[in-house]
Amino acid sequence: MKEKKRNGYNDTIISESVVGQRLSGIRKPGTTFIVFQGKQVPFVRSLTIGRDKTNSVSLDDKLVSRKHAVIKKIKGVFFIRDLGSTNGTYVNGKQIPSEEFICLQPNDKIMIGRTELSMLHFK
């Protein structure tokens, strides 16, 4: 599955932006967040994770590749894909295959480098 870009921009809002900070305070029903290192990033449609500052979630960790992984929401279901990273992406302690989309469950723990991420859904 190819990652689509609309007008050259990702569909995800960066958490450090003014809009991202305002959205992080919203907790309306049905909102899903990616939680890591005490931060909550609202999930819109697609979220990129890596060391590069252009990612939706930027991790300052030498074990994390510049473009490490992507999480996508497709018809209400969340999928994660490792983008060919050097050290891999782990879900519930198991390394996921590179370049394949893997379905995520609500309580899954994602490990990228030394950072654990999880999804938090407000009903």
Side-chain angles (χ1 to χ4, degrees):
M1 179 184 288
K2 287 189 175 180
E3 186 173 327
K4 289 185 178 179
K5 289 189 177 183
R6 196 172 59 203
N7 298 329
Y9 297 98
N10 283 335
D11 291 327
T12 305
I13 297 171
I14 298 173
S15 63
E16 285 78 25
S17 71
V18 173
V19 174
Q21 288 175 358
R22 286 182 56 208
L23 286 175
S24 67
I26 297 173
R27 286 185 172 70
K28 60 184 177 181
T31 304
T32 301
F33 294 88
I34 297 297
V35 181
F36 66 101
Q37 298 173 341
K39 299 177 186 175
Q40 293 182 358
V41 177
F43 193 93
V44 179
R45 200 187 276 178
S46 177
L47 189 99
T48 57
I49 305 166
R51 207 174 63 238
D52 194 298
K53 298 291 183 196
T54 61
N55 289 294
S56 308
V57 173
S58 178
L59 302 174
D60 185 21
D61 181 346
K62 292 186 187 277
L63 296 177
V64 176
S65 295
R66 285 185 179 94
K67 302 282 185 187
H68 198 100
V70 63
I71 300 174
K72 291 186 175 271
K73 181 179 179 183
I74 303 169
K75 295 186 179 184
V77 179
F78 294 90
F79 295 90
I80 187 166
R81 182 177 89 178
D82 182 272
L83 299 174
S85 67
T86 302
N87 294 309
T89 300
Y90 295 79
V91 175
N92 299 325
K94 294 183 181 178
Q95 187 171 3
I96 64 171
S98 183
E99 301 295 334
E100 290 183 27
F101 278 96
I102 303 299
C103 184
L104 289 172
Q105 301 301 316
N107 295 323
D108 284 345
K109 300 295 180 200
I110 303 161
M111 195 71 165
I112 295 180
R114 289 172 265 205
T115 303
E116 183 178 285
L117 303 97
S118 59
M119 293 190 319
L120 180 62
H121 184 76
F122 290 95
K123 294 183 179 184

